[in-house]
């Protein structure tokens, strides 16, 4: 609820609820702290409504995980990108107030209209009730005051002398506003309000009509100004009754709706640009042209107001709508780099914290920005996303697994837009990840190990591994590949013991991915041997129903009490079998598969003998059977050939046909196993 | 400098020493003759200036100067007490860094002797000082000191002044004063003691013969109340003793000798030696006593270790040794390290004590191991590795003999020790040696004072037997522990802390092991390495189905078992002539241990070493075995990391090179051709290399390994594959490729090393440029269908309108609410202000009333007065 209502409403809740009221005074200093200057970098300034959520999440997951290492690593990866790109965001709000000068000839139809003034339409009633209650109280108190005034004539004078003191009470209610609100906006307010008069629905209709008829009509400016006003509505009206330009909800919604829907078309029409043409090129041409000089400010005002609106609106669906409307006019952003940065900042926030739809549409818009505009935008987008990702992936649990997954893949989408640029970031990030491992392997200190054994590190590593996998085929990423493999092996070498099995399994999965895309052989099997050695020592109770399902995908280090539990073993064996499955299936038609599977099979058989849990036994048995079938098949085929191991071409061609054709049980088994694992790892 | 208020006394002159006592070393002379310019400044001395400094205080009266000096001395004391170190001689304030990284200020006594040299060269220390040519830092230090001193004095004075005048609290003050005084006096006495210590030490070092009595005084300090003083006393004593202990052992005099009349000089010497010995003795006693107290433990142990290192030959060294060995397995890391180092240096510098110390130390350690039932810190056994038995190399022992051209003796020494069974050839040789020795012996005896070789032999064999006793004890203990009867106690944790250094030692001294023990030793090793059947020790107790569960029953790690194999091989290798034991069992162990190996849990370097000693170094192997190992190593490298793979491949290559027939494995010759062994088909899971039938297999692994991500592995694999084309007789493929042995190969490609490889930050040219705009609708990772659906989920205009209206209303209501609240608050505040208003009003009225009242009164007065 709090999240949905957003900044404005939360603020209200903070003041309006009686219980909170007490706290408010105590906390005032705290809130004031948040009024730090704007423009601290794209993700430096976390939006406050999310901060609390995040904090909460953090606490929860901290309790769950007992990791606590997140902060240690924070700095390290936090500056993975280095300081060079900590660009200060400059606001260009100061250079103009956001209003456009208007033509006075535009009609203001101000005939009497009380159609909507009646208050029966009030929103959700929540505040309505309270408002009426307060009103009654006011009336009551006023009466009292009047009595007093009547009683003593001099009191009125006295009150007058204490006016300033009384004003403070007024301010106390809304002083958060003062702290957080933009000062410039207030200034705008002061200057402008004298000339403005309320716009009625009819006036608006006329304006809209005028604009649709002729895009050049001066009403456009009025409309945009009204739009701007609407975007400021929540911020300013709260204390000042002066911004009365919008008095009815209909005007409010109509103007926003109209501007959002039509603005793009109007601008294009004004500039003489076709709807689906390659706008960028045309824009470049127009940049210095006459039309642009006229249209530019309009566009700027449009974007500025929209960005404000994005900050104001809390309803997800509305935000999605807003973002979609903005998407078509992204090209125009090219001219206003600081607005672009501001937009990206908001988008990254939505992307990382918003609900499903919102984050997706934020991502789509970001992609649009990154792909359509210059590479600077691409860089800003990518780095902001990466930084946010790093900050957001400190903890992994069921609740945010999907989110992290989404963030990863959408980040990859962005990076693959321009591999060349992202390559540089990848190199430096991997280098730093590698340095951490190098350092830890020399010191072997606990705190250094904690820098690696946390989600932030693993997620980052995983992200770049995915990046390599995605782009390996089309690009020459050999170097990145080498580095990544080395780093992963470095990580695995640092942790021994069954407690770190989940971590190792994750490394193994990454190696499998890398191996699969690169076609290089990576010996993965030894990573799961430790896991197989573990089986058989079950101490926990056998009635597994009471044990919660263990999800290895959300664990890095197994808590000690679970180590010998049945569930854990099951999960362990299953995951290691899956790793082996991937490994085998990659080479399932390679001539040396029988040898490759020799040692794992021996160990698996041993494991099968030891295992006491029936489900584990069954699982292992099935895998052994299938792998042996595979081995036998290969051996049979191999016996029939005459080439030697040094004949690389023949080996490459060996069973090439079968690879695509054979529907043997083992290939199907591998496939189903992998599919299962994917399903299991998905969030439920 | 000259701005100081007080009279500056010239720094203390070094004590007067007659010129003839200065010994200018040859090196010094050489140095100054070579570098004449260094002495130039001497020529340019301004004599007058120097004189002025030295005689400046002459105009003061004699008493005054004396008083000044006295005060300086006194003032020095409390100052020094701040630094918890030995007194710093102002002339030599530069600290020394000891080996363990501690800064130590040189004590005066250590310095004096050098100082003599210096002062002759520089015609007086202070000259150079005042000239400021080379000792700037010194003067600075001194200045600081003086400043400090002044400050402190001023402070004290102030304190005194503060305390005195306040009479009312005098009682309390006086108490405080007392305390302060006590403190000061304690401080002062501490300082005084330190000075005293330094003086005694200096005196002792200057003339040990004359001042030997002072040792007792020094010893008295060690009984002081103040632990700090005791520590200092111990350290000073140590420093003195280290220097004055003679290079010989002092013998107790017999009664007869005592009775004999002796010359003055002899009497003096006897007295000197007697005193020294007695003090030394009581010092040692003190050390041993203090060693039991926690605060002194470290100091005492340090003193003992230093003494042991410095004078292992001297009387009572056995006590010293006992004290050191007692702490060799201390849980305190520092103490343990100190003791271990001391013992190691004892072993290394046998020349100092002629080997007796070694024997004694080894015996003591052996006892210790026995006493503690093999549960000691591994460090305590590692010291054995510093022992040296190899006479051919032990030059320090043979110097005397070499001088006397008695080199043949070396051989003679070795033989009885080893107890080799005298073969015919050796017998005759021995006789010859005996003969020669007989001849020269008399001669040698006459001129040499060194312990004769027989005695040395005896000592060496004593040492050896003690060492091996210890080793065998540990082995036995390990074997016992692995016995199933004790299994319940030992299983699950690593109960053999000493096994690893023991095995290492056995490997190192394998050539010295007595043949009689050999069989037992081998069976022990066999059992420990996990061999499960056929040995007499355990044929009945175990009925292990397969060797897989070995680890669980004997409680040893894979690394330790590998080490057992290595040791066995080393022993065999060094006694190859005399022994003819089949090592097949150990090969089998290795063959199976390859499967047990887990990276990072087990030590990869041990595995590499095992591969090196057992397979790489070995001669030609049996073909079956070689083939089995080749196959297994290839399979092994498919499943393990690159460093293990490299070690395995290096071994594999060597095997292929040595066993030319095994190269058939490289070719796919259906059925293995003519040379297939007993088993026709390859059995990858066989535990016995002979039964694996590896000759029938093909090294397909290499084809996959040549796709290895690690370039060195893939290169190695391709190299091996290229051996196919060689003729069976041809041995060397490519000389540059043989260079790596398994251990090197292992270390070359460890993870840590791999990580060091730098990355090129350049963008490879083939990277994709920015994609075209037209393409940007395609997606790589995300599900495009889902993304497209987002479009359709966007709400329609009507809905938008409604929601915006709703939003607007919420905003409006909120703002309204705020406004109302403000109003409410204002009203309430106004009401509450009414009270204030009333109060003020009242006050005003009252004051008005008062004023008017006064006025009235005044008026009245006026009235009355006027009227």
């Amino acid at each position: 609820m709090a999240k949905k209502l957003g900044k404005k409403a939360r603020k209200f809740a903070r003041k309006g609820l009686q219980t909170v009221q007490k706290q408010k005074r105590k906390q005032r200093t705290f809130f004031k702290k948040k009024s730090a200057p704007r423009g601290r970098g794209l993700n430096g300034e976390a939006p406050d409504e999310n901060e609390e959520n995040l904090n909460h999440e953090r606490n929860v997951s901290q309790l769950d995980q007992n990791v606590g290492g997140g902060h240690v690593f924070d700095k390290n990866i936090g500056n993975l990108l280095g300081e060079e790109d900590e660009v200060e965001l400059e606001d260009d709000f100061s250079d103009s107030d956001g209003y456009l000068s208007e033509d006075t000839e535009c009609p203001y139809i101000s005939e009497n209209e009380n159609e909507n003034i009646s208050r029966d339409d009030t929103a959700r009633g929540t505040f309505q009730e309270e408002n009426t209650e307060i009103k009654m109280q006011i009336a009551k108190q006023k009466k009292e005051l009047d009595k007093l005034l009547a009683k003593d004539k001099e009191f009125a004078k006295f009150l007058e002398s204490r006016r300033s003191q009384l004003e403070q009470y007024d301010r106390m209610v809304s002083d958060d506003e003062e702290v957080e609100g933009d000062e410039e906006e207030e200034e705008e307010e002061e200057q402008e309000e004298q000339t403005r008069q309320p716009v009625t629905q009819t006036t608006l209709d006329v304006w809209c009509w005028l604009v649709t008829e002729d895009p050049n009509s001066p009403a456009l400016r009025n409309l945009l100004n009204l739009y701007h006003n609407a975007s400021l509505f929540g911020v300013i009206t709260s204390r000042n009754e002066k911004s009365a330009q919008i008095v009815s909800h209909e005007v409010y919604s109509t103007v926003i709706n109209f501007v959002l829907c039509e603005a793009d078309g109007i601008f294009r029409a004004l500039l003489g640009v076709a709807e689906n043409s390659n706008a960028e090129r045309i824009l470049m041409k127009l940049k210095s042209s006459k039309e642009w000089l006229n249209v530019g400010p309009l566009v700027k005002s449009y974007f500025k107001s929209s960005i404000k609106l994005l900050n104001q609106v809390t309803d997800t669906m509305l935000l999605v709508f807003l973002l979609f409307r903005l998407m078509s006019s992204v090209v125009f952003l090219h001219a206003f780099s600081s607005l672009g940065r501001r937009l990206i900042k908001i988008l990254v926030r939505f992307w990382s914290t918003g609900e499903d739809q919102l984050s997706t549409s934020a991502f789509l818009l970001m992609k649009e920005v990154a792909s359509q505009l210059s590479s600077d935008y691409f860089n800003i987008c990518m780095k902001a996303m990466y930084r946010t990702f790093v900050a957001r992936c400190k903890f992994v649990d069921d609740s945010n697994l999907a989110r992290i997954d989404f963030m990863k893949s959408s980040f990859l989408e962005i990076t693959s837009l321009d591999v060349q640029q992202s390559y540089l970031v990848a190199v430096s990030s991997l280098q730093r990840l590698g340095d951490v491992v190098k350092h830890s392997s020399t010191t072997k200190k606990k705190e250094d190990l904690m820098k690696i054994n946390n989600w932030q590190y693993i997620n980052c590593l995983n992200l770049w591994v995915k990046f390599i996998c995605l782009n390996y085929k089309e690009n020459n990423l050999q170097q990145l590949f080498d580095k990544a493999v080395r780093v992963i092996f470095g990580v695995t070498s640092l942790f021994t013991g069954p407690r770190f099995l989940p971590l190792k399994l994750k490394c193994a999965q990454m190696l499998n991915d890398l191996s699969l895309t690169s076609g290089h052989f990576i010996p993965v099997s030894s990573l799961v041997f430790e896991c197989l050695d573990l089986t058989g020592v079950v101490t926990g109770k056998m009635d597994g129903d009471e044990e919660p399902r263990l999800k290895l995908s959300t664990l890095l280090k197994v808590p000690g009490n679970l180590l010998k539990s049945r569930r854990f073993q099951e999960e362990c064996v299953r995951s290691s079998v899956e790793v082996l499955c991937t490994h085998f299936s990659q080479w399932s038609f390679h001539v040396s598969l029988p040898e490759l599977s020799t040692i794992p099979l021996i160990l698996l058989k041993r494991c099968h003998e030891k295992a006491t849990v029936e489900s584990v036994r069954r699982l292992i048995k099935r895998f052994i059977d299938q792998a042996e079938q595979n081995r036998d098949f290969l051996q049979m085929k191999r016996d029939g050939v005459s080439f030697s191991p040094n004949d690389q071409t023949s080996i490459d061609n060996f069973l090439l046909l079968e690879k695509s054709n054979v529907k043997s049980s083992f290939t199907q088994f591998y496939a189903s196993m992998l599919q299962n694992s994917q399903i299991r790892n998905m969030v439920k | 400098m000259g701005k100081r208020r007080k009279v500056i006394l010239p720094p203390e002159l070094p004590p007067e020493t007659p010129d003839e006592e200065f010994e200018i070393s040859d090196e010094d002379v050489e140095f100054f003759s070579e570098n004449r310019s260094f002495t130039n400044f001497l020529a340019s001395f301004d004599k007058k200036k120097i004189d002025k400094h030295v005689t400046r205080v002459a105009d003061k009266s004699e008493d005054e100067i004396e008083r000044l000096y006295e005060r300086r001395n006194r003032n020095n004391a409390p100052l020094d007490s701040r630094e918890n170190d030995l007194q710093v001689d102002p002339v030599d304030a530069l600290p020394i860094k000891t080996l363990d990284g501690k800064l130590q200020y040189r004590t005066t006594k250590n310095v004096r002797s050098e100082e003599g040299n210096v002062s002759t060269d520089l015609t007086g220390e202070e000259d150079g000082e005042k000239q400021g040519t080379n000792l700037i830092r010194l003067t600075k230090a001194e200045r600081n000191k003086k400043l400090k001193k002044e400050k402190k004095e001023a402070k004290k004075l102030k304190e005194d002044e503060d305390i005195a005048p306040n009479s009312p609290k005098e009682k309390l003050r006086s108490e405080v004063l007392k305390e302060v005084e006590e403190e000061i006096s304690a401080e002062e006495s501490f300082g005084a003691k330190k000075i005293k210590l330094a003086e005694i030490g200096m005196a002792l070092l200057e003339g040990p013969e004359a001042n030997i009595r002072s040792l007792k005084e020094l010893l008295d300090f060690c009984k002081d109340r103040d632990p700090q003083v005791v520590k200092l006393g111990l350290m000073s004593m140590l420093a003195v003793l280290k220097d004055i202990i003679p290079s010989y052992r002092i013998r107790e005099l017999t009664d007869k000798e005592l009775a004999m009349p002796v010359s003055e000089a002899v009497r003096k010497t006897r007295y000197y030696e007697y005193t020294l010995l007695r003090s030394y003795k009581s010092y040692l006693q003190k050390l041993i006593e203090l060693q039991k107290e926690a605060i002194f433990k470290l100091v005492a142990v340090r003193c003992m270790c230093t003494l042991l290192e410095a004078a292992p030959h001297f009387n009572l060294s056995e006590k010293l040794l006992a004290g050191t060995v007692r702490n060799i397995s201390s849980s305190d890391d520092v103490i343990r390290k100190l003791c271990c180092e001391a013992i190691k240096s004892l072993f290394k510098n046998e020349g100092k004590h002629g080997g007796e110390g070694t024997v004694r130390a080894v015996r003591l350690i052996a006892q210790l191991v026995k006493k503690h039932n093999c549960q000691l810190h591994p460090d305590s056994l590692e010291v054995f590795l510093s022992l040296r038995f190899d006479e051919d190399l032990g030059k320090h022992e043979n110097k005397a003999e070499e001088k006397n051209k008695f080199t043949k003796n070396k051989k003679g020494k070795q033989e009885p020790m080893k107890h080799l069974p005298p073969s015919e050839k050796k017998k005759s040789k021995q006789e010859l040696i005996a003969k020669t020795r007989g001849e020269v012996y008399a001669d040698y005896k006459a001129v040499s004072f060194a312990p004769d070789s027989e005695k040395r032999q005896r000592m060496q064999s004593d040492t050896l037997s003690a060492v091996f006793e210890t080793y065998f004890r540990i082995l036995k203990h390990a074997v016992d522990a692995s016995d199933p009867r004790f299994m319940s106690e030992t299983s699950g944790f690593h109960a053999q802390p000493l096994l690893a250094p023991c095995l290492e030692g056995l490997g190192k001294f394998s050539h010295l092991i007595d043949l009689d023990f050999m069989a037992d030793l081998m069976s022990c090793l066999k059992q420990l390495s996990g061999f499960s059947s056929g040995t007499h020790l355990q044929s009945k107790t175990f009925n292990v189905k397969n060797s897989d569960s070995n680890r669980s029953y004997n409680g040893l790690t894979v690394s330790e078992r590998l080490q057992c194999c290595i040791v066995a091989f080393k022993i065999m290798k060094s006694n190859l002539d005399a022994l003819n034991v089949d090592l097949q069992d150990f090969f089998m162990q290795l063959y199976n241990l390859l499967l047990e190996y887990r990276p990072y849990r087990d030590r990869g370097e041990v595995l590499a070493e095992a591969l090196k000693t057992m397979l790489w170094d070995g001669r030609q192997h049996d073909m079956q075995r070689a083939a089995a190992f080749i196959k297994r190593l290839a399979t092994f490298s498919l499943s393990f990391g690159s460093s293990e793979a490299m070690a395995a491949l290096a071994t594999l290559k060597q095997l292929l090179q040595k066993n030319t027939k095994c190269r058939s494995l490289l070719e796919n010759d259906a059925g293995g051709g003519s040379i297939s062994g007993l088993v026709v088909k390859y059995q990858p899971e066989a535990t016995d290399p002979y039964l694996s039938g590896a000759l029938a297999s093909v090294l397909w692994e290499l084809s996959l390994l040549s796709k290895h991500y690690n370039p060195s592995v893939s290169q190695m694999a391709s190299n091996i594959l290229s051996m196919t084309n060689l003729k069976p007789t041809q041995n060397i493929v490519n000389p540059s490729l043989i260079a790596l042995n398994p251990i090197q190969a292992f270390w070359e490609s460890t993870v840590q090393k791999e990580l060091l490889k730098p990355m090129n930050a350049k963008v490879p040219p083939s990277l994709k440029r920015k994609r075209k705009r037209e393409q940007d609708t395609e997606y790589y990772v995300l599900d495009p269908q889902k993304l497209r659906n987002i479009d359709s989920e966007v709400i329609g205009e009507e809905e938008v309108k409604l929601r915006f209206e709703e939003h607007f209303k919420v905003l409006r209501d909120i703002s309204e609410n705020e406004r109302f609240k403000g109003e409410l608050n204002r009203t309430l505040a106004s009401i509450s202000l009414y009270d204030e208003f009333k109060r003020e009003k009242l006050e005003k009225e009252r004051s008005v009333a008062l004023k008017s009242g006064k006025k009235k009164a005044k008026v009245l007065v006026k009235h009355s007065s006027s009227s």
Side-chain angles (χ1 to χ4, degrees), chain B residues 322 325-326 328 359-376 381 384 466-467 469-470 473:
Chain B
V325 170
R326 198 177 303 136
I328 205 169
V359 183
R360 219 171 278 135
V362 171
R363 279 196 186 140
L364 281 171
I365 294 175
Q367 280 167 17
L368 197 73
V369 170
K370 189 178 172 187
K371 199 172 136 199
H372 286 91
N373 201 18
C374 302
Q375 302 297 325
L376 290 175
L381 210 62
F384 282 176
V467 168
E469 185 201 322
T470 316
R473 183 185 307 285

Side-chain angles (χ1 to χ4, degrees), chain A residues 8 12 15-16 119 121-124 130-131 134-135 137-138 141-142 145 148 151-152 155 158 162 166 169-170 173 233 238 241 248-249 252-253 256-257 278 315 317 321 324 357 360 363-364 367 370-373 409 413 416-417 420 423-424 431 437-438 441 474-476 479 483 485-486 489-490 493 496 520-521 523 526 533 590-592 595 598 602-603 605-606 638 641 643-646 648 651, chain B residues 548 595-596 598 600 631 635-636 638-640 666-668 684-685 698-701 703-704 706-709 721 724 751-752 754-757 759-764 766-771 773 776 778-782 787 790-791 793-795 797 800-801 803-809 811-831 833-834 836-837 840-841:
Chain A
K8 192 74 193 135
F12 171 77
K15 283 168 223 150
R119 298 299 308 269
D121 54 31
T122 319
R124 285 165 196 157
E130 202 178 327
N131 283 354
I134 291 176
K135 244 195 239 167
Q137 270 186 17
I138 291 174
Q141 302 297 343
K142 276 244 165 87
L145 188 65
L148 287 176
K151 211 166 101 185
D152 209 325
F155 183 49
F158 179 77
R162 291 301 179 92
L166 287 175
Y169 283 93
D170 229 6
V173 183
F233 177 70
S238 57
E241 285 164 83
S248 84
H249 55 84
Y252 182 79
S253 73
I256 290 176
N257 216 345
N278 188 342
D315 187 305
M317 289 327 286
F321 174 76
F324 262 89
Q357 267 185 326
T360 316
F363 156 70
L364 286 176
K367 185 162 182 272
S371 63
Q372 297 224 6
L373 301 180
S409 32
E413 290 289 350
S416 46
L417 285 177
Q420 212 170 32
Y423 179 82
L424 291 174
Q431 193 75 56
V437 174
K438 204 162 66 188
S441 68
E474 297 162 64
N475 302 281
N476 178 15
Q479 229 195 351
K483 185 78 186 175
V485 175
R486 274 182 241 145
F489 270 115
S493 76
T496 48
H520 284 287
F521 170 73
S526 69
D533 284 342
H590 193 272
V591 79
S592 58
E595 278 80 17
T598 304
I602 291 175
L603 294 180
K605 276 179 194 159
R606 216 182 279 170
R638 205 166 65 175
V641 298
F643 56 82
S644 292
N646 61 347
Q648 204 63 49
I651 287 173
Chain B
D548 302 341
L595 292 182
E596 301 294 330
R598 298 284 175 277
Y600 315 123
K631 186 67 185 168
T635 314
F636 174 81
L638 269 185
S639 287
F640 293 91
L666 291 171
E667 273 168 283
N668 183 16
E685 292 170 39
V698 182
L699 287 177
W700 292 111
E701 292 95 335
S703 67
L704 190 51
S706 59
K707 285 188 169 187
H708 202 279
Y709 78 94
L721 277 177
T724 331
V751 172
Q752 279 72 27
E754 295 277 299
L755 275 173
L756 289 178
K757 285 184 185 165
M759 228 164 118
N760 196 353
K762 256 192 209 160
V763 182
S766 60
L767 279 191
K768 223 190 294 178
R769 296 254 154 200
K770 191 164 179 171
R771 279 164 217 240
R773 265 201 71 204
D776 65 14
E778 56 182 89
Y779 294 99
Y780 301 91
V781 194
L782 291 168
L787 291 179
I790 291 281
D791 264 323
E793 280 169 33
V794 175
I795 42 175
E797 254 175 66
V800 169
K801 221 171 166 179
R803 284 188 189 233
F804 267 124
E805 281 173 13
E806 202 73 1
H807 180 70
F808 173 80
K809 284 168 195 165
L811 285 183
R812 191 187 53 198
D813 284 350
I814 288 174
S815 55
E816 209 154 80
N817 187 291
E818 271 172 16
R819 220 172 44 234
F820 282 147
K821 276 206 175 141
E823 208 175 325
L824 182 64
N825 279 343
R826 206 166 45 231
T827 326
L828 283 174
S830 309
I831 293 170
L833 266 180
Y834 183 68
E836 204 184 321
F837 164 72
E840 259 178 40
K841 201 172 152 191

